[in-house]
Amino acid sequence: MTQSALAQLDDSLRATRQSFDSIPVVDVAPLLDGSDKMKVAKEIRWALANAGFMYVQNHGVAAEKLDNAFTQTKAFFDLPLEEKMKLHVSKSGTALRGYIEMFGENTDPTKTKDLKECFDLGPETPGDTTPFFGANQWPADLPEFRAAIYGYHEDMKQLSGSLLRGIALSLDLDERFFEPKMQNPISIQRLLHYPPQTGKIDESVMGIGAHTDYGNLTILAQDDVGGLQVMNRDGDWVQGPPIPGMFVINIGDLVQRLTNDVYLANLHRVVNTSGRERYSIPFFIDADYDADFAPLPSCVTPENPAKYEAVTCGKHKFGRFLESFPHLAAR
């Protein structure tokens, strides 16, 4: 590779190279099997109060299911553009299911164009006209795609429920605290492809611009390429490298609101300077469309007065999507 083809990062995109322990690792086996839930809850509290992110190991999702999901993800993005555009997200209305082309979504639209393509799906609810609900769109020429990716979505729903019980315990709440808010929750299974970037790179174009996630919880599976950067409380960007067998977990705006900033929905972004194609599979779990989120009384003190009014999950999330999707703004 010639020097001119190498990625040359603008100073604002440089991340501190730290060991992965800068994002805490939490072994969730004692939470899942019930042997020591409070030990895991204490580790979750430290991670979410200080980093907003954590790696989780021993999560119970079989490696072959994850490998199959990545195989189908790559197969989808290898399809010709005209085939993918037949499933464009705009054809699903406010269900927001389907393909999103390069620059079709921009998470930091005032500053950055996102160099990525996506495919989104969610719970199969044909006929439901509530935003984020409806029928999925499926590629006709990938016979194994639907079962693999929708099955993975269902596995992530189950894991997210367990992790939210751990988060509830970490806040000294009943472990079932989130369940009344999640009788029919919004969930999005996203597939992502980032082409490599070369030459001079600055904040105007990169994989994903700096953003927080919108809802409760994100479960991210990364391939071995890397590129995730997370901002710490000091305002420094640190790398979140892939670790075999582990998911990256982070909380979204609703949990930060719920905890009155005790827990941090951290800014993060992706810059792919590897020279290779990067794939990742994030799963987003939120809550019922009309579920209310306001600061917990236990997180409001004279030193930390309430910072937020109550908001419903759906109104908050759809408002964030309006900022990111040009086709929604046009509607």
Side-chain angles (χ1 to χ4, degrees):
M1 185 179 292
T2 65
Q3 179 63 32
S4 62
L6 293 173
Q8 302 163 50
L9 284 179
D10 186 83
D11 286 344
S12 65
L13 296 186
R14 297 189 183 278
T16 305
R17 187 175 296 278
Q18 300 183 8
S19 72
F20 62 77
D21 287 323
S22 59
I23 296 177
V25 175
V26 177
D27 183 347
V28 295
L31 172 68
L32 301 184
D33 65 21
S35 61
D36 199 343
K37 295 179 183 180
M38 293 312 301
K39 174 181 181 295
V40 180
K42 289 178 182 178
E43 294 177 6
I44 288 174
R45 184 176 181 91
W46 193 96
L48 299 185
N50 289 281
F53 275 72
M54 59 186 177
Y55 293 100
V56 296
Q57 63 181 353
N58 296 322
H59 45 69
V61 179
E64 55 267 27
K65 289 188 175 182
L66 186 56
D67 291 343
N68 197 20
F70 271 108
T71 296
Q72 294 303 316
T73 294
K74 294 173 184 176
F76 175 79
F77 290 119
D78 282 344
L79 291 173
L81 179 60
E82 58 268 25
E83 291 301 311
K84 292 181 286 191
M85 289 298 288
K86 291 177 182 178
L87 307 174
H88 194 264
V89 66
S90 62
K91 298 182 180 187
S92 72
T94 59
L96 294 161
R97 312 287 178 81
Y99 175 67
I100 304 156
E101 75 280 19
M102 297 287 180
F103 308 125
E105 177 199 36
N106 295 294
T107 50
D108 189 9
T110 62
K111 185 181 294 185
T112 303
K113 293 178 69 176
D114 289 359
L115 185 63
K116 69 182 193 303
E117 55 179 342
C118 320
F119 183 83
D120 286 355
L121 61 102
E124 282 283 13
T125 52
D128 193 331
T129 58
T130 307
F132 304 109
F133 291 91
N136 290 307
Q137 302 190 79
W138 300 105
D141 297 331
L142 296 176
E144 299 178 14
F145 181 89
R146 179 171 181 165
I149 300 302
Y150 197 73
Y152 185 82
H153 169 271
E154 295 300 289
D155 288 341
M156 292 299 102
K157 281 182 70 174
Q158 182 173 346
L159 177 59
S160 66
S162 298
L163 294 174
L164 285 167
R165 286 193 287 274
I167 291 174
L169 289 172
S170 78
L171 293 165
D172 296 321
L173 301 170
D174 184 277
E175 65 178 306
R176 306 286 177 177
F177 168 81
F178 285 97
E179 292 184 9
K181 298 177 181 292
M182 302 180 69
Q183 299 302 297
N184 185 29
I186 298 167
S187 62
I188 297 175
Q189 182 64 68
R190 169 163 281 196
L191 315 178
L192 280 164
H193 167 230
Y194 305 89
Q197 287 186 262
T198 58
K200 182 67 176 178
I201 301 171
D202 59 24
E203 288 184 284
S204 62
V205 177
M206 60 176 145
I208 292 183
H211 67 286
T212 59
D213 290 345
Y214 308 153
N216 272 342
L217 189 74
T218 303
I219 304 174
L220 172 68
Q222 305 187 78
D223 65 8
D224 63 353
V225 171
L228 174 66
Q229 298 181 0
V230 178
M231 181 177 283
N232 64 22
R233 282 194 182 269
D234 296 325
D236 297 322
W237 290 102
V238 300
Q239 293 186 6
I243 306 175
M246 296 192 195
F247 290 122
V248 179
I249 308 296
N250 63 283
I251 56 169
D253 297 338
L254 291 179
V255 173
Q256 178 164 331
R257 181 182 294 263
L258 183 74
T259 63
N260 202 36
D261 292 353
V262 173
Y263 286 1
L264 181 66
N266 220 335
L267 282 170
H268 52 287
R269 64 190 183 185
V270 171
V271 186
N272 181 14
T273 61
S274 66
R276 300 162 54 197
E277 309 295 319
R278 180 184 191 266
Y279 300 90
S280 69
I281 307 178
F283 170 81
F284 306 97
I285 188 71
D286 303 313
D288 296 345
Y289 191 88
D290 59 356
D292 284 326
F293 282 78
L296 292 163
S298 60
C299 293
V300 176
T301 65
E303 297 75 27
N304 187 38
K307 298 180 175 70
Y308 302 101
E309 299 291 333
V311 68
T312 60
C313 171
K315 182 177 181 180
H316 170 75
K317 189 176 181 76
F318 196 64
R320 293 292 303 269
F321 270 67
L322 283 171
E323 297 170 359
S324 300
F325 282 94
H327 82 274
L328 281 182
R331 286 172 69 100

